[in-house]
Every structure is written in structure tokens, then in C-alpha cells.
Amino acid sequence: MTFDEHFMCMALREAEKAAADGEVPAGCVIVEEPESDDTPPSGVRILGRAHNQSEGLADATAHAEMLALTSAFQARGGWRLNGTRLYVTKEPCPMCAGAIVLARVTTVVWGVSDPKRGGGTVFGIFGHSGINHHPRIVTGVLEEESKGILQEFFRRRREEGDRGA
């Protein structure tokens, strides 16, 4: 298992928590960037982890990334997250992408892209010429697993809707 896969597995566990709570299953983990390509996962500090909680908190902004960013700000003692890597199971929406840019996260890693609402692929926020920070983007890490948890969640939702739940 690669360094990125290790932390994406953690993000997937967060997504499973969201699904169990009836939330869209997205999970996020933020860590300090490794010092080198040889750094083991145990050699970096986890700054924040979270899963979607919009329904439970009755808060449209309670996405996994937003909650994990807040935890990371507290862990760092400030809002600048230079030298960090953010893992999220699904491509960030425009709100989350904007917050990631403002926080100056160094690297963003996601599992599955969002072809309808992706903050990077659809709206181009991460590479927009009008912003002063452009994180490195890595996509497709544990993509099938990330896609699978979303597909299963929405399949169950449709079935429950068909039964009148």
C-alpha cells in the first residue's frame, strides 16, 4: 500500500461513518506533507479528519473537508495549512475547493472525480488564474473504492424511496 493509499483508506473509513449516519458518504483526512518519498505514514502527523455531517448538524457547510480543515486549523494554531496534504474520497465541491485554496493546502488527493459539481474538474477553482495559491492535485487514488461507497449509498437511497421510506 502506498503512502497516499494509506491515508485514503482512512478517508474511506470516515466516508463509511457518514453513510452509517445517512449522510452522503464523503470522508477527509489532512496530514502534514511527508519530508521525502520514503517517509512512512507513521512519520507524519494527522491534523484533522472528518466525514459529511450536513444532515446531522443541519448545516449546509458541514462537508467532510470543511470540518477536517477546522480541525487542522486548531491543530496548527492558525489558518495557513502550507505543507499539508488533504485526502478526500470525492472531489471537493466549489465551496470546499475555495476553502482549501484559502487555507493554502499544498496537495489535494481525491478518489473519485465529480463530473457534475467538481470544484476542480468542472469549475476550475484549483487552477484559476485569479487566485494566489494553486495546490498540487492527485486524482484517482482508490477510485473504485470511493466510487463504490457512493454508488451503494445512492442505490440504497433509491430502494428506500421506492418502498416509501
Side-chain angles (χ1 to χ4, degrees), residues 69-70 72-74 76-82 84 99-105 132:
L69 284 166
T70 297
F73 298 147
Q74 292 170 352
R76 274 276 181 95
W79 60 269
R80 289 178 182 86
L81 297 179
N82 302 73
T84 62
I100 290 164
V101 166
L102 290 172
R104 293 173 175 74
V105 171
N132 64 351

Side-chain angles (χ1 to χ4, degrees), residues 47-131:
L47 300 171
R49 69 175 95 191
H51 56 276
N52 277 355
Q53 296 183 55
S54 294
E55 298 297 331
L57 296 176
D59 180 350
T61 68
H63 291 195
E65 301 95 322
M66 300 297 283
L67 298 171
L69 284 166
T70 297
S71 293
F73 298 147
Q74 292 170 352
R76 274 276 181 95
W79 60 269
R80 289 178 182 86
L81 297 179
N82 302 73
T84 62
R85 194 174 292 190
L86 182 147
Y87 294 89
V88 64
T89 55
K90 184 176 87 52
E91 178 182 0
C93 73
M95 173 185 68
C96 294
I100 290 164
V101 166
L102 290 172
R104 293 173 175 74
V105 171
T106 303
T107 304
V108 179
V109 181
W110 69 72
V112 63
S113 294
D114 184 345
K116 293 183 181 178
R117 291 171 290 282
T121 58
V122 176
F123 293 95
I125 293 169
F126 295 120
H128 194 279
S129 62
I131 60 173

Side-chain angles (χ1 to χ4, degrees), residues 133-145:
H133 175 74
H134 300 96
R136 183 172 76 93
I137 304 298
V138 178
T139 65
V141 175
L142 299 183
E143 181 174 12
E144 290 307 311
E145 293 85 344

